[in-house]
Amino acid sequence: MRRAAGKMMRKPALPLLALVLPAALGACSMAPDYARPEAPVPPAWPVGEAYPVEGEASLPSVSYTELFRDQRLQSLIGQALANNRDLRLAAANLAAARAQVRVTRAAQFPELSVRASADVRDNGGTSGESYALQGGISSFELDLFGRLANATAAQRERALASEASARSVRLSLVASLASAWATYAADRDLLAVAEDSAANARRSVELTRSRLQGGIAPRSDLRQAEQILATAEGDLAAQKAALAEDINLLRLLVGAEIDPALLPSSLAEVLGSVETLPAGTSSTVLLRRPDVAQAEYLLRAANADIGVARARLFPQISLTGLLGFASDALGSLFDSGAFAASAGADASYAIFSGGGRSAGVDVSEANRDAALATYEKAIQSAFREVADALATKGTIADRLSAARMNTEAAADTANLTELRYRGGVDSFLANLVAQRSLYTARRQEVAIQLIAVQNRIELYRVLGGDAELGQSAFTLPE
């Protein structure tokens, strides 16, 4: 009897399997074949007087630890990668995107359900009982035209785009932190310049007051000297505020308190600890930038969405199946006579939808065209950023040399002019102009040194940084 019951359980499932397997194997995709678009930029970087001559054909794979060699900066970057809230937000968004892939993919599989019930009745001497155990498949859609498969593919590409976005956040964090660290060093140098300027202004006030008391200088010279002192002290206060703001920014980027021992003391030591990243000659390295990769993943997702929209133009076929046992006595629930099974199929097709479904295809194709334009613009913007950074790289050495020469000449002029003023040869106005020129020249040299450091950091960012940056934390599993 048990063997006969087993045969009765298997037979109703055979027609269902006969429908499901060929349908699943014969499913097709209505999505267009994807091919990576040609990059709408020149194959090589610009050349000319403003650009450096790159000897390497391609960009080597380097990590930020190879580029930023100062252990203090590396320590801060490590803390930021562990604590920064923007990075945590990106990781949470990626986790949600990964989970959404599983949610979408679940629609491709049948949902199996089990239900058990027991009913015992006693009505004034009339009693009865019934028991049932049922399992089945409710409305399993046969994906004949790839609607569900393309929906899963689109969601997966969006999850990969979220991964690329997280890598962009990580790359931007490293570059922003290095830039803020260098800016702090520059502001310390500017603070030293302001302190020297204020000290010179105080000496000038004392000298002019002595000359006024001796009847050598007019009162207007003293008032001008006092004006210069007030300006210098104002600049000194502003630089102290700038340093405090730099530390606040570093604290925000790191996501924790900053150890003062990890801060640089001068811009010169920062400039010596940041390596220059060679850009190579080929612009194909742009494809490894996370923002470009993100745009391409979204383009691939839009391409898969076309398949989803096209599949909606065709009928939807769903299968249902139910099998189980029902009996008036618990002891006979699994007897062969208590077994029952049923299977069914349902096909639906909208004869008239007011053009809504065909319009859905048009919408998906328009979205794909928009994603294509976004992808191409991302490459063009990346090319422009690299070209700008290379133009700065090719000319920054000359600017630094000119700034140093200017500072040396201004310092010598200020020294000579002050000696001539003390000797009564030059006027106070000439001495004042010389001091102002020296102050401006020193600040300008610091500014250009900062540009040189930030240019190296910017090249790291615009070239995509480390190609493997964040892979262990953000890679989407198959």
Side-chain angles (χ1 to χ4, degrees), residues 31-32 150-151 153-154 157 299-309:
N150 280 317
E157 297 297 340
L299 173 60
R300 295 170 68 97
N303 193 74
D305 284 338
I306 295 177
V308 175

Side-chain angles (χ1 to χ4, degrees), residues 34 56 93 136 173 181 209 236 245 247 251 256 272 293 305 312 327 356 363 368 379 382 384 392 425 431 436 438:
Y34 177 80
E56 298 185 24
N93 290 336
L173 173 62
W181 195 69
R209 182 177 290 115
L236 185 60
E245 291 170 359
I247 294 177
R251 186 183 293 113
D305 284 338
R312 288 197 177 100
S327 174
V363 170
R368 187 270 317 274
I379 294 179
R384 184 258 173 123
T392 301
V425 178
N431 182 51
R436 285 179 173 175
L438 175 58

Side-chain angles (χ1 to χ4, degrees), residues 26 37 45 57 67 70 135 214 238 303 352 424 427 455:
W45 308 123
L67 185 67
D70 195 296
N303 193 74
F352 178 75
S427 67
N455 176 246

